[in-house]
Amino acid sequence: MNDQPTWIDRIVDVTGWHHEPEGGAGWEQVETEIGVALPSDFKELCRRFVPGAFYAYLDLLRPTDDHAQPLLRTWASCRQWANQHDSAGLWAPYEIYEPGKGAGLIQWGSDQTEGEYYWLVDRSVDADRWPVVARRDGIEPWHQLDMSTAEFVYRVIADPEFTPFTVAAPPRRPFYLPHWGPFPMNADDWDALTNPNRRD
């Protein structure tokens, strides 16, 4: 038996998030419409963390628009834009995923500074092995990373060496801000949330 912590375990530990997981997140309809099963660690992250943002910064796309940006609608908007415009300059050298047309991008997350986070979806590859394709904003270069969604999220919030995506600021502590939580408005709020000695 493997007793090593998963990347999700590490995210839970570093953020101190110990709320009850949500029930079924409703990914079945999304996966049916897209035509592929999504990575299991991503769906588990969405189950374990209610809609909100890691470090009040990085958001996961969700199956519905209840307090969150929906993955399916985002994918549909990207496809529509790509079909109506010359998208070579927007996602190049990648393309938006289209069923039956080979590998392409599906967005799974975004951040507060226009960062974009995608999977490079390939039906011939197990979803849990899709690489993450990300950039800090629309004019930055793409980075293709051979890691899971959960590892990427962990490194963004907890690994100060994970350039250019990290927001980790040791010795401050990462946190998770649920949709109902008040956004930190001043230095005192941030200090309370990122205090390494805070009680969860």
Side-chain angles (χ1 to χ4, degrees), residues 27 31 36-45 71 108 119 121 126-131 148-150:
W27 288 111
E31 292 174 327
V36 291
L38 300 176
S40 58
D41 72 319
F42 170 76
K43 291 184 286 187
E44 180 64 9
L45 264 179
L71 186 145
W108 59 262
W119 298 294
V121 177
D126 184 279
D128 290 335
R129 296 179 54 213
W130 292 341
S148 69
T149 314

Side-chain angles (χ1 to χ4, degrees), residues 62-193:
R62 303 285 176 151
T64 69
D65 58 2
D66 294 338
H67 312 292
Q69 183 178 351
L71 186 145
L72 193 59
R73 191 163 68 201
T74 301
W75 177 60
S77 296
C78 290
R79 293 172 68 204
Q80 182 179 26
W81 199 99
N83 289 332
Q84 293 177 349
H85 301 82
D86 176 13
S87 63
L90 191 57
W91 290 287
Y94 304 100
E95 296 181 358
I96 293 299
Y97 177 75
E98 290 279 355
K101 291 190 177 180
L105 301 177
I106 292 178
Q107 188 171 357
W108 59 262
S110 62
D111 66 37
Q112 299 299 313
T113 60
E114 300 185 2
E116 301 172 71
Y117 309 110
Y118 297 80
W119 298 294
L120 182 56
V121 177
D122 185 340
R123 289 178 59 90
S124 68
V125 176
D126 184 279
D128 290 335
R129 296 179 54 213
W130 292 341
V132 170
V133 175
R135 62 183 173 186
R136 290 185 52 134
D137 60 49
I139 62 172
E140 292 279 326
W142 290 107
H143 296 260
Q144 183 171 321
L145 303 143
D146 186 17
M147 63 178 60
S148 69
T149 314
E151 180 180 355
F152 183 88
V153 170
Y154 175 84
R155 294 197 182 282
V156 167
I157 64 172
D159 181 357
E161 305 298 319
F162 189 53
T163 56
F165 299 106
T166 184
V167 293
R172 308 313 298 176
R173 182 174 175 185
F175 62 94
Y176 189 74
L177 188 70
H179 67 87
W180 67 76
F183 193 85
M185 300 300 291
N186 54 50
D188 288 341
D189 291 346
W190 280 102
D191 283 345
L193 283 168

Side-chain angles (χ1 to χ4, degrees), residues 10-31:
R10 295 181 191 192
I11 294 169
V12 169
D13 182 60
V14 78
T15 60
W17 181 258
H18 296 292
H19 292 254
E20 277 296 310
E22 293 199 327
W27 288 111
E28 296 81 2
Q29 180 183 348
V30 174
E31 292 174 327

